[in-house]
Amino acid sequence: MSGEALSQMLKSLPLEDQFQAEYVWLDAFFRPRSKGKTLNLKDFPSAPHSCPPSCFPEWNYDGSSTGQAEGHFSEIIIKPCAVYRDPFRGGDNVLVLCDTYWPDGTPHPTNTRYHCQKVMEAAKDLEPWFGVEQEYFLMKISDARPLGFPEGGYPAPQGPYYCGAGAECAFGREIAEAHWKACLYAGLKISGINGEVAPGQWEFQVGPCLGIEEGDSLWLARYILIRVAESFNVMVNLEPKPVEGDWNGSGCHTNFSTKPMREDGGYKKHILPVMEKLKAKHKEHIIAYGKGNEKRLTGKHETASIDSFLYGTGNRGASIRIGNQTAKDGKGYFEDRRPAANMDPYIVTMLLVSTCCDIPYTAPGVLQNGDK
C-alpha cells in the first residue's frame, strides 16, 4: 500500500467519542505553527466547529523553539479565539486559531491580535468592514524559484499569466483550487481567486469581514495554503519582491469601509476626509505594512513610490485607490494598495481603523521594537 493510499484509509476511519483539534498560532517570525490535541465529544454542547472558542481548553508550547522565549522560561500559553472545520481531517475535527500569552496572562509581544481586538471593540458601532487581496508565489523546493521558471533561465515576459488559462501560463492552478475549496469547507469567507501577473503567482480574496474576523480569517487561510502546498511539495512565498527584475511583486491590498462610508453621501463626508489623515500617517503605516516592502513600492508594476502618498479614483498606481463605482454612487469603500504580501492583517486593519476613525491604539511589542 502506498503512503497516499494509507493516508486516505486512515482518514476515513471513524472516531466514535473523540475528535482531533489542530491548534494554530503565530511564531516569532509571523509564520503559523500548529500541534494536535485529542478532545472528547461529550465535553462539547454541539458539533465542535459550531462551539465558541471558550469551549476549548487553553494549551501551551515551547516558546524557545519558536523564537518567542528563552529556554529557562519557555512556556507560552495559547488561548483559542476562533474555530473552523478541518478540511484535512474532515468529520468533527477542527482547526483552532489561538493567540499567545505569558503564563501570568499578559499578551506576548508577538500577540498583535490582542491589540487589534481592543481597537475593533472600540470601533464596533462604526462596523468596520475589510476585504483583503492576498497575493503569493508558489516556489519549487529544488531551486526556490517560482513555478513556471525554468531551471537556470526565465519564462516569457509578463503578459499572458494574469487570469490566464493553459499549461504554458497557469502554473500551480491545482494548488490554488484545492486551497480555495479547503478554505470554503473550513468556513472562511473566500470571495474568489485568480492567477496573477507573474508566472507561479496567485491571489485569493478574503472578505467582506467585520472587524477582527478579517485578521483571523487571513491567518487561517494562509495556514491552510501552506498545508495544501506542502502536499504538493511546493513552498508558499509571501515576500514583497521574491523575484528581482521586471516581474511584479506581491501585495496584500486591503479594502476598507465603515458604516458611514457605506451610507449615502459617505464618499464626500467620510472617505475623502480620511485621505488627509492617511497622508499624515503615511510613514507610520509604511513601517508596519510588511518587511522588504521598499523593494515592491517603487512606482512601477502598479505601485506608488514608498516615499510618497497618492490617492486617486480608479488609479492602480496610487497608494489609495477609490473605485469608480464608489465615486459614482457617492458611497462605498477604498483600497489601500500599500500593504505587502507578508503584512500582519491584525496590524494593518488596526492601523486603518485607528487612523481613519481617530481611535488610539497601544503598539504591540513588535511595533515598539521596530520589527514589523
Side-chain angles (χ1 to χ4, degrees):
M1 180 182 292
S2 69
E4 182 177 354
L6 175 62
S7 177
Q8 290 300 317
M9 185 196 75
L10 292 174
K11 181 179 177 181
S12 66
L13 295 177
L15 295 176
E16 306 236 340
D17 303 316
Q18 298 174 311
F19 68 97
Q20 297 161 289
E22 191 75 14
Y23 279 49
V24 183
W25 70 93
L26 302 179
D27 66 15
F29 315 103
F30 287 85
R31 283 185 59 86
R33 305 264 185 140
S34 72
K35 64 177 183 173
K37 190 177 188 68
T38 303
L39 296 172
N40 297 313
L41 282 169
K42 65 179 179 59
D43 295 332
F44 291 78
S46 59
H49 76 270
S50 66
C51 292
S54 59
C55 288
F56 291 79
E58 295 179 6
W59 207 5
N60 64 78
Y61 65 92
D62 172 18
S64 67
S65 297
T66 62
Q68 292 168 297
E70 299 292 334
H72 66 278
F73 190 69
S74 66
E75 188 172 287
I76 305 294
I77 308 301
I78 42 178
K79 298 184 179 183
C81 51
V83 183
Y84 308 87
R85 292 193 292 180
D86 186 341
F88 303 103
R89 297 186 176 114
D92 287 320
N93 305 306
V94 293
L95 302 176
V96 183
L97 185 68
C98 304
D99 56 357
T100 52
Y101 296 82
W102 292 116
D104 65 3
T106 57
H108 191 272
T110 58
N111 184 351
T112 53
R113 186 187 191 279
Y114 174 86
H115 301 274
C116 179
Q117 176 63 23
K118 294 271 189 187
V119 170
M120 296 305 171
E121 181 63 26
K124 64 181 179 180
D125 291 340
L126 295 173
E127 298 179 13
W129 284 7
F130 301 93
V132 173
E133 306 164 26
Q134 175 71 69
E135 295 176 334
Y136 62 94
F137 274 90
L138 295 172
M139 315 289 273
K140 295 171 286 182
I141 294 287
S142 59
D143 60 4
R145 303 179 79 212
L147 300 184
F149 275 63
E151 189 171 343
Y154 289 90
Q158 294 184 160
Y161 310 109
Y162 174 71
C163 297
E168 73 281 7
C169 57
F171 304 102
R173 183 185 297 277
E174 65 275 20
I175 297 175
E177 290 278 351
H179 170 250
W180 184 12
K181 188 66 173 287
C183 285
L184 292 176
Y185 176 87
L188 297 174
K189 295 176 181 176
I190 304 296
S191 51
I193 69 168
N194 60 268
E196 266 301 332
V197 178
Q201 187 184 35
W202 291 82
E203 175 184 300
F204 64 90
Q205 301 93 36
V206 180
C209 293
L210 176 65
I212 197 70
E213 181 188 13
E214 183 62 56
D216 289 346
S217 298
L218 184 56
W219 273 120
L220 206 281
R222 286 174 173 176
Y223 171 76
I224 292 175
L225 176 60
I226 292 168
R227 287 281 307 275
V228 170
E230 172 189 315
S231 297
F232 289 85
N233 200 33
V234 168
M235 297 184 297
V236 175
N237 186 297
L238 299 182
E239 295 175 34
K241 187 74 173 178
V243 183
E244 298 294 332
D246 193 20
W247 305 99
N248 271 38
S250 294
C252 214
H253 303 156
T254 303
N255 300 280
F256 173 65
S257 69
T258 60
K259 184 178 180 181
M261 293 179 188
R262 298 188 295 271
E263 294 175 340
D264 290 343
Y267 172 60
K268 290 185 177 180
K269 292 179 182 177
H270 300 284
I271 292 178
L272 289 180
V274 303
M275 294 300 114
E276 291 304 314
K277 295 180 181 180
L278 290 165
K279 180 179 181 180
K281 292 193 174 183
H282 176 64
K283 290 185 178 179
E284 180 181 335
H285 281 242
I286 285 295
I287 290 171
Y289 272 17
K291 188 175 182 179
N293 210 10
E294 70 282 354
K295 297 178 181 178
R296 168 179 161 265
L297 297 180
T298 62
K300 300 178 181 179
H301 301 111
E302 299 180 297
T303 70
S305 169
I306 196 170
D307 297 317
S308 62
F309 179 88
L310 172 69
Y311 72 90
T313 303
N315 184 358
R316 282 181 163 76
S319 311
I320 303 290
R321 181 185 69 87
I322 300 172
N324 287 298
Q325 196 65 42
T326 292
K328 180 180 178 180
D329 294 344
K331 59 184 177 181
Y333 67 95
F334 65 84
E335 175 192 44
D336 190 342
R337 297 178 60 82
R338 296 171 295 174
N342 60 357
M343 65 81 149
D344 178 354
Y346 293 135
I347 288 181
V348 169
T349 57
M350 178 187 73
L351 288 178
L352 280 171
V353 172
S354 176
T355 297
C356 295
C357 304
D358 299 316
I359 296 174
Y361 69 91
T362 302
V366 289
L367 282 185
Q368 294 172 356
N369 298 332
D371 294 335
K372 290 298 287 177

